[in-house]
Amino acid sequence: MLRAERGISRRQLAEALGVHYQTVGYLERGEYSPSLYLALRIAEYFEVGVEVVFSTAPFPRIGSS
């Protein structure tokens, strides 16, 4: 959601983080759990706390009440 809100493509984010663009897709779909290092780098990139980006409980789906 952060990536889309800021108009950043998967490829742009991947390049900034030094990962493959498919990794970003896997993360967004919840198919991959990042290392702590990658999680911290993503939070730093978006200038938010890591808990804003990642949680042990699922986030509600967009558009749900």
Side-chain angles (χ1 to χ4, degrees):
M1 209 161 126
L2 285 169
R3 182 185 62 74
E5 284 177 353
R6 297 180 189 198
I8 301 165
S9 72
R10 284 184 181 161
R11 196 170 299 271
Q12 289 172 315
L13 180 57
E15 288 175 4
L17 298 172
V19 298
H20 194 276
Y21 75 92
Q22 288 180 322
T23 301
V24 175
Y26 294 140
L27 288 167
E28 291 179 344
R29 291 188 301 275
E31 297 173 4
Y32 173 74
S33 295
S35 66
L36 178 58
Y37 179 71
L38 180 55
L40 291 169
R41 289 190 58 215
I42 292 168
E44 181 180 52
Y45 178 85
F46 288 110
E47 299 178 329
V48 297
V50 73
E51 68 279 2
V52 172
V53 186
F54 297 100
S55 173
T56 56
F59 289 108
R61 293 189 58 83
I62 295 173
S64 64
S65 299

PDB file of all heavy atoms in Angstrom, residues 1 6 8 10 13 17 20 24 34 41 45-47 51 56 58 62-63 65:
ATOM      1  N   MET A   1       0.814  -1.179   0.000  1.00  0.00           N
ATOM      2  CA  MET A   1       0.000   0.000   0.000  1.00  0.00           C
ATOM      3  C   MET A   1       0.871   1.262   0.000  1.00  0.00           C
ATOM      4  O   MET A   1       0.582   2.195  -0.730  1.00  0.00           O
ATOM      5  CB  MET A   1      -0.913  -0.021   1.226  1.00  0.00           C
ATOM      6  CG  MET A   1      -2.202   0.696   1.010  1.00  0.00           C
ATOM      7  SD  MET A   1      -3.385   0.172   2.236  1.00  0.00           S
ATOM      8  CE  MET A   1      -3.834   1.734   2.866  1.00  0.00           C
ATOM      9  N   ARG A   6       2.598   6.038  -2.978  1.00  0.00           N
ATOM     10  CA  ARG A   6       3.677   6.966  -3.325  1.00  0.00           C
ATOM     11  C   ARG A   6       4.083   6.897  -4.793  1.00  0.00           C
ATOM     12  O   ARG A   6       5.032   7.549  -5.208  1.00  0.00           O
ATOM     13  CB  ARG A   6       4.877   6.715  -2.417  1.00  0.00           C
ATOM     14  CG  ARG A   6       4.489   6.995  -0.961  1.00  0.00           C
ATOM     15  CD  ARG A   6       5.598   6.764  -0.022  1.00  0.00           C
ATOM     16  NE  ARG A   6       5.095   6.852   1.356  1.00  0.00           N
ATOM     17  CZ  ARG A   6       5.859   7.038   2.400  1.00  0.00           C
ATOM     18  NH1 ARG A   6       7.157   7.153   2.254  1.00  0.00           N
ATOM     19  NH2 ARG A   6       5.340   7.096   3.603  1.00  0.00           N
ATOM     20  N   ILE A   8       5.387   4.419  -6.528  1.00  0.00           N
ATOM     21  CA  ILE A   8       6.665   3.747  -6.744  1.00  0.00           C
ATOM     22  C   ILE A   8       6.390   2.376  -7.361  1.00  0.00           C
ATOM     23  O   ILE A   8       5.563   1.624  -6.855  1.00  0.00           O
ATOM     24  CB  ILE A   8       7.422   3.590  -5.410  1.00  0.00           C
ATOM     25  CG1 ILE A   8       7.670   4.967  -4.789  1.00  0.00           C
ATOM     26  CG2 ILE A   8       8.722   2.824  -5.595  1.00  0.00           C
ATOM     27  CD1 ILE A   8       8.079   4.923  -3.347  1.00  0.00           C
ATOM     28  N   ARG A  10       7.221  -1.568  -8.488  1.00  0.00           N
ATOM     29  CA  ARG A  10       7.920  -2.687  -7.833  1.00  0.00           C
ATOM     30  C   ARG A  10       9.389  -2.678  -8.218  1.00  0.00           C
ATOM     31  O   ARG A  10      10.263  -2.920  -7.392  1.00  0.00           O
ATOM     32  CB  ARG A  10       7.296  -4.019  -8.230  1.00  0.00           C
ATOM     33  CG  ARG A  10       6.007  -4.294  -7.545  1.00  0.00           C
ATOM     34  CD  ARG A  10       5.475  -5.650  -7.894  1.00  0.00           C
ATOM     35  NE  ARG A  10       4.204  -5.852  -7.204  1.00  0.00           N
ATOM     36  CZ  ARG A  10       3.324  -6.739  -7.535  1.00  0.00           C
ATOM     37  NH1 ARG A  10       3.538  -7.557  -8.539  1.00  0.00           N
ATOM     38  NH2 ARG A  10       2.192  -6.846  -6.863  1.00  0.00           N
ATOM     39  N   LEU A  13      11.309   0.092  -6.310  1.00  0.00           N
ATOM     40  CA  LEU A  13      11.538  -0.279  -4.918  1.00  0.00           C
ATOM     41  C   LEU A  13      12.604  -1.366  -4.819  1.00  0.00           C
ATOM     42  O   LEU A  13      13.503  -1.294  -3.989  1.00  0.00           O
ATOM     43  CB  LEU A  13      10.235  -0.749  -4.260  1.00  0.00           C
ATOM     44  CG  LEU A  13      10.348  -1.172  -2.798  1.00  0.00           C
ATOM     45  CD1 LEU A  13      10.916  -0.060  -1.928  1.00  0.00           C
ATOM     46  CD2 LEU A  13       8.994  -1.643  -2.285  1.00  0.00           C
ATOM     47  N   LEU A  17      16.247  -1.237  -2.863  1.00  0.00           N
ATOM     48  CA  LEU A  17      16.543  -2.168  -1.777  1.00  0.00           C
ATOM     49  C   LEU A  17      17.607  -3.189  -2.134  1.00  0.00           C
ATOM     50  O   LEU A  17      18.094  -3.911  -1.274  1.00  0.00           O
ATOM     51  CB  LEU A  17      15.264  -2.913  -1.368  1.00  0.00           C
ATOM     52  CG  LEU A  17      14.131  -2.048  -0.834  1.00  0.00           C
ATOM     53  CD1 LEU A  17      12.875  -2.883  -0.656  1.00  0.00           C
ATOM     54  CD2 LEU A  17      14.538  -1.365   0.458  1.00  0.00           C
ATOM     55  N   HIS A  20      15.462  -8.462  -6.133  1.00  0.00           N
ATOM     56  CA  HIS A  20      14.781  -8.686  -7.403  1.00  0.00           C
ATOM     57  C   HIS A  20      13.360  -8.151  -7.299  1.00  0.00           C
ATOM     58  O   HIS A  20      12.735  -8.242  -6.244  1.00  0.00           O
ATOM     59  CB  HIS A  20      14.769 -10.190  -7.722  1.00  0.00           C
ATOM     60  CG  HIS A  20      14.409 -10.496  -9.131  1.00  0.00           C
ATOM     61  ND1 HIS A  20      13.111 -10.584  -9.547  1.00  0.00           N
ATOM     62  CD2 HIS A  20      15.179 -10.718 -10.214  1.00  0.00           C
ATOM     63  CE1 HIS A  20      13.089 -10.860 -10.842  1.00  0.00           C
ATOM     64  NE2 HIS A  20      14.341 -10.941 -11.262  1.00  0.00           N
ATOM     65  N   VAL A  24       9.657  -8.179  -4.252  1.00  0.00           N
ATOM     66  CA  VAL A  24       8.687  -7.186  -3.786  1.00  0.00           C
ATOM     67  C   VAL A  24       7.266  -7.720  -3.961  1.00  0.00           C
ATOM     68  O   VAL A  24       6.437  -7.599  -3.060  1.00  0.00           O
ATOM     69  CB  VAL A  24       8.878  -5.836  -4.520  1.00  0.00           C
ATOM     70  CG1 VAL A  24       7.791  -4.842  -4.127  1.00  0.00           C
ATOM     71  CG2 VAL A  24      10.266  -5.263  -4.244  1.00  0.00           C
ATOM     72  N   PRO A  34      10.392 -11.467   4.917  1.00  0.00           N
ATOM     73  CA  PRO A  34      11.729 -10.914   4.725  1.00  0.00           C
ATOM     74  C   PRO A  34      12.629 -11.169   5.929  1.00  0.00           C
ATOM     75  O   PRO A  34      12.158 -11.424   7.033  1.00  0.00           O
ATOM     76  CB  PRO A  34      11.453  -9.419   4.585  1.00  0.00           C
ATOM     77  CG  PRO A  34      10.261  -9.200   5.446  1.00  0.00           C
ATOM     78  CD  PRO A  34       9.414 -10.434   5.241  1.00  0.00           C
ATOM     79  N   ARG A  41      15.179  -2.249   6.258  1.00  0.00           N
ATOM     80  CA  ARG A  41      15.509  -1.402   5.106  1.00  0.00           C
ATOM     81  C   ARG A  41      14.250  -0.881   4.423  1.00  0.00           C
ATOM     82  O   ARG A  41      14.202   0.260   3.973  1.00  0.00           O
ATOM     83  CB  ARG A  41      16.376  -2.172   4.113  1.00  0.00           C
ATOM     84  CG  ARG A  41      17.772  -2.386   4.683  1.00  0.00           C
ATOM     85  CD  ARG A  41      18.762  -2.914   3.693  1.00  0.00           C
ATOM     86  NE  ARG A  41      18.881  -2.011   2.560  1.00  0.00           N
ATOM     87  CZ  ARG A  41      19.081  -2.414   1.307  1.00  0.00           C
ATOM     88  NH1 ARG A  41      19.214  -3.686   1.040  1.00  0.00           N
ATOM     89  NH2 ARG A  41      19.182  -1.557   0.332  1.00  0.00           N
ATOM     90  N   TYR A  45      13.265   2.953   4.075  1.00  0.00           N
ATOM     91  CA  TYR A  45      13.000   3.532   2.751  1.00  0.00           C
ATOM     92  C   TYR A  45      11.731   4.387   2.788  1.00  0.00           C
ATOM     93  O   TYR A  45      11.694   5.476   2.224  1.00  0.00           O
ATOM     94  CB  TYR A  45      12.869   2.415   1.712  1.00  0.00           C
ATOM     95  CG  TYR A  45      12.554   2.919   0.327  1.00  0.00           C
ATOM     96  CD1 TYR A  45      13.562   3.342  -0.523  1.00  0.00           C
ATOM     97  CD2 TYR A  45      11.247   2.978  -0.124  1.00  0.00           C
ATOM     98  CE1 TYR A  45      13.275   3.819  -1.798  1.00  0.00           C
ATOM     99  CE2 TYR A  45      10.947   3.454  -1.388  1.00  0.00           C
ATOM    100  CZ  TYR A  45      11.961   3.874  -2.223  1.00  0.00           C
ATOM    101  OH  TYR A  45      11.663   4.350  -3.484  1.00  0.00           O
ATOM    102  N   PHE A  46      10.687   3.876   3.440  1.00  0.00           N
ATOM    103  CA  PHE A  46       9.413   4.592   3.506  1.00  0.00           C
ATOM    104  C   PHE A  46       9.336   5.563   4.685  1.00  0.00           C
ATOM    105  O   PHE A  46       8.333   6.240   4.865  1.00  0.00           O
ATOM    106  CB  PHE A  46       8.248   3.600   3.563  1.00  0.00           C
ATOM    107  CG  PHE A  46       8.006   2.908   2.256  1.00  0.00           C
ATOM    108  CD1 PHE A  46       8.286   1.558   2.111  1.00  0.00           C
ATOM    109  CD2 PHE A  46       7.508   3.598   1.158  1.00  0.00           C
ATOM    110  CE1 PHE A  46       8.070   0.911   0.905  1.00  0.00           C
ATOM    111  CE2 PHE A  46       7.291   2.963  -0.049  1.00  0.00           C
ATOM    112  CZ  PHE A  46       7.575   1.622  -0.181  1.00  0.00           C
ATOM    113  N   GLU A  47      10.404   5.612   5.498  1.00  0.00           N
ATOM    114  CA  GLU A  47      10.489   6.512   6.644  1.00  0.00           C
ATOM    115  C   GLU A  47       9.339   6.300   7.619  1.00  0.00           C
ATOM    116  O   GLU A  47       8.677   7.240   8.063  1.00  0.00           O
ATOM    117  CB  GLU A  47      10.562   7.974   6.183  1.00  0.00           C
ATOM    118  CG  GLU A  47      11.784   8.248   5.330  1.00  0.00           C
ATOM    119  CD  GLU A  47      11.846   9.674   4.813  1.00  0.00           C
ATOM    120  OE1 GLU A  47      10.783  10.299   4.575  1.00  0.00           O
ATOM    121  OE2 GLU A  47      12.972  10.158   4.637  1.00  0.00           O
ATOM    122  N   GLU A  51       6.797  -1.680  12.276  1.00  0.00           N
ATOM    123  CA  GLU A  51       5.475  -2.214  12.580  1.00  0.00           C
ATOM    124  C   GLU A  51       4.381  -1.629  11.688  1.00  0.00           C
ATOM    125  O   GLU A  51       3.287  -2.184  11.606  1.00  0.00           O
ATOM    126  CB  GLU A  51       5.124  -1.992  14.062  1.00  0.00           C
ATOM    127  CG  GLU A  51       4.913  -0.555  14.459  1.00  0.00           C
ATOM    128  CD  GLU A  51       6.197   0.233  14.735  1.00  0.00           C
ATOM    129  OE1 GLU A  51       7.312  -0.310  14.586  1.00  0.00           O
ATOM    130  OE2 GLU A  51       6.080   1.405  15.109  1.00  0.00           O
ATOM    131  N   THR A  56       2.740  -9.492  12.870  1.00  0.00           N
ATOM    132  CA  THR A  56       2.555 -10.937  13.016  1.00  0.00           C
ATOM    133  C   THR A  56       1.107 -11.327  12.754  1.00  0.00           C
ATOM    134  O   THR A  56       0.821 -12.474  12.442  1.00  0.00           O
ATOM    135  CB  THR A  56       2.957 -11.409  14.426  1.00  0.00           C
ATOM    136  OG1 THR A  56       2.206 -10.680  15.395  1.00  0.00           O
ATOM    137  CG2 THR A  56       4.446 -11.209  14.665  1.00  0.00           C
ATOM    138  N   PRO A  58      -2.365 -10.725  10.388  1.00  0.00           N
ATOM    139  CA  PRO A  58      -2.672 -10.232   9.045  1.00  0.00           C
ATOM    140  C   PRO A  58      -3.319  -8.850   9.084  1.00  0.00           C
ATOM    141  O   PRO A  58      -4.101  -8.553   9.988  1.00  0.00           O
ATOM    142  CB  PRO A  58      -3.650 -11.263   8.488  1.00  0.00           C
ATOM    143  CG  PRO A  58      -3.652 -12.403   9.432  1.00  0.00           C
ATOM    144  CD  PRO A  58      -3.088 -11.929  10.727  1.00  0.00           C
ATOM    145  N   ILE A  62      -7.726  -4.411   1.895  1.00  0.00           N
ATOM    146  CA  ILE A  62      -8.102  -3.058   1.473  1.00  0.00           C
ATOM    147  C   ILE A  62      -9.552  -3.089   1.025  1.00  0.00           C
ATOM    148  O   ILE A  62      -9.973  -3.976   0.283  1.00  0.00           O
ATOM    149  CB  ILE A  62      -7.177  -2.587   0.324  1.00  0.00           C
ATOM    150  CG1 ILE A  62      -5.752  -2.458   0.841  1.00  0.00           C
ATOM    151  CG2 ILE A  62      -7.660  -1.258  -0.242  1.00  0.00           C
ATOM    152  CD1 ILE A  62      -4.730  -2.175  -0.232  1.00  0.00           C
ATOM    153  N   GLY A  63     -10.321  -2.111   1.486  1.00  0.00           N
ATOM    154  CA  GLY A  63     -11.726  -2.018   1.103  1.00  0.00           C
ATOM    155  C   GLY A  63     -12.662  -2.745   2.059  1.00  0.00           C
ATOM    156  O   GLY A  63     -13.867  -2.663   1.917  1.00  0.00           O
ATOM    157  N   SER A  65     -14.412  -3.358   5.813  1.00  0.00           N
ATOM    158  CA  SER A  65     -14.806  -2.464   6.920  1.00  0.00           C
ATOM    159  C   SER A  65     -14.315  -2.991   8.236  1.00  0.00           C
ATOM    160  O   SER A  65     -14.292  -4.113   8.533  1.00  0.00           O
ATOM    161  CB  SER A  65     -16.313  -2.340   6.962  1.00  0.00           C
ATOM    162  OG  SER A  65     -16.767  -1.790   5.756  1.00  0.00           O
TER     163      SER A  65
END
